[in-house]
Amino acid sequence: IVMMWMLKRIKIAIAIMREASHCFLAAPGMVIIPPIVFILLIGWVIFFIVSMLYIQTIGTLNDETFKTAANQQFGESAVNFTLVAANSTSNAYDQYNGNSTNSTDGSQNSSVWTTDEKIKILHAYNFFGFLWASNFCIMFGFFVMAMTACTYYFSATQAQMRLAESDVEEEQQQGVVKHVPSCTIFRAFCIGLTNHLGTILWGALLIAIVQFVRALFLYVQEEFLEEWQEDCTIGILLKCIDCCLWYIEKIIKIISKNAFIVCCIT
């Protein structure tokens, strides 16, 4: 009964699939777009993992570690001068020339480079950048494919196609068959970079924000609400919130893709 009720929509979907297959046959170069996007995503994943390892291993920086590193690079005099300059810039020159007490006795206050809270903030910043960059790669590849498909679809009108299919030779010469000009994929790539880069970045940003909120919600759920998940009411409420966030993410993806298609059409 449902299929009979949606018969008109099913016919439209079949027509769209048929037209899409013709577009792919007219521009087989589109097959290289998904692998390129996949390679870019692999690069971003590697960059994200390396950045995460660097952030996680920042640790604490105090005078002793600083003196050891500076001594290896510039010698003992540079260590003395730099530590004194950090404590008091007004008498740094006198300290360096030995007119006052040496500053390498460890009497300076230890300066903490970072804390666990700052590391978490850096991880969140790195994770959000990864989400934004990965969504940008995916959406940019979608934009290039949409631009190529629009170029094919509007390359000939219905009347021109009828003339091309006519049996009369004169009408066939006036007719036009749908086609994709050469270098269309490269032109679509350039158009995306020059004319619609902000649009693609904005669509990817909206998706990344929702995904980041979902990840933040899961983090709060695991760190602070774990003991409350045993309650049936709280568990159902958390699942409903997660489902709503997932639904919002899907809606924003659909809206963004449709916006990109409208950009390609107009």
Side-chain angles (χ1 to χ4, degrees):
I1 294 175
V2 173
M3 292 183 65
M4 292 177 62
W5 178 261
M6 301 184 64
L7 185 60
K8 184 177 180 180
R9 292 179 177 270
I10 293 174
K11 289 182 177 179
I12 294 174
I14 293 173
I16 292 174
M17 294 281 288
R18 184 183 296 113
E19 195 70 19
S21 63
H22 293 164
C23 175
F24 179 77
L25 293 175
M30 286 196 298
V31 73
I32 68 172
I33 298 177
I36 292 176
V37 173
F38 179 74
I39 292 173
L40 291 176
L41 288 177
I42 293 297
W44 278 116
V45 169
I46 295 174
F47 179 79
F48 169 73
I49 294 175
V50 172
S51 301
M52 181 179 63
L53 293 177
Y54 270 101
I55 293 172
Q56 189 62 33
T57 56
I58 287 177
T60 301
L61 184 66
N62 51 30
D63 284 343
E64 294 301 325
T65 56
F66 178 79
K67 287 189 294 184
T68 302
N71 189 18
Q72 293 176 355
Q73 294 293 330
F74 305 107
E76 186 67 25
S77 60
V79 175
N80 297 337
F81 176 76
T82 309
L83 287 175
V84 172
N87 291 323
S88 177
T89 57
S90 60
N91 59 354
Y93 184 75
D94 294 336
Q95 292 277 4
Y96 175 70
N97 287 325
N99 297 331
S100 59
T101 57
N102 195 338
S103 61
T104 59
D105 56 358
S107 61
Q108 291 77 16
N109 296 328
S110 297
S111 58
V112 179
W113 177 257
T114 185
T115 60
D116 293 337
E117 289 77 12
K118 291 182 180 180
I119 289 179
K120 290 181 180 180
I121 293 174
L122 290 175
H123 278 306
Y125 179 80
N126 183 38
F127 180 66
F128 180 77
F130 167 73
L131 290 177
W132 192 3
S134 59
N135 281 292
F136 172 76
C137 294
I138 295 174
M139 290 302 166
F140 195 89
F142 176 83
F143 180 87
V144 174
M145 296 186 72
M147 180 66 72
T148 306
C150 288
T151 303
Y152 165 80
Y153 187 78
F154 292 101
S155 61
T157 63
Q158 195 72 23
Q160 291 173 336
M161 294 176 62
R162 289 196 186 100
L163 291 175
E165 295 174 357
S166 176
D167 297 332
V168 182
E169 184 177 355
E170 295 180 356
E171 293 182 353
Q172 289 181 357
Q173 294 177 356
Q174 297 176 358
V176 179
V177 180
K178 286 186 178 181
H179 64 284
V180 176
S182 58
C183 301
T184 300
I185 296 177
F186 178 75
R187 290 176 59 192
F189 179 82
C190 295
I191 291 173
L193 286 179
T194 55
N195 297 346
H196 300 286
L197 185 61
T199 304
I200 302 173
L201 283 170
W202 176 247
L205 176 63
L206 294 178
I207 299 173
I209 290 174
V210 179
Q211 291 177 343
F212 184 77
V213 172
R214 287 190 63 194
L216 186 63
F217 174 73
L218 293 177
Y219 173 78
V220 173
Q221 181 177 341
E222 293 295 331
E223 291 292 329
F224 304 103
L225 302 177
E226 187 175 1
E227 58 182 6
W228 296 93
Q229 295 182 17
E230 298 179 359
D231 190 342
C232 182
T233 304
I234 300 298
I236 293 176
L237 181 61
L238 294 176
K239 294 296 183 182
C240 290
I241 295 175
D242 187 35
C243 182
C244 290
L245 292 174
W246 172 83
Y247 190 71
I248 293 173
E249 178 186 349
K250 295 299 180 183
I251 290 177
I252 292 179
K253 283 185 177 180
I254 293 173
I255 293 175
S256 298
K257 289 183 177 181
N258 286 330
F260 299 153
I261 293 173
V262 171
C263 288
C264 295
I265 292 174
T266 55

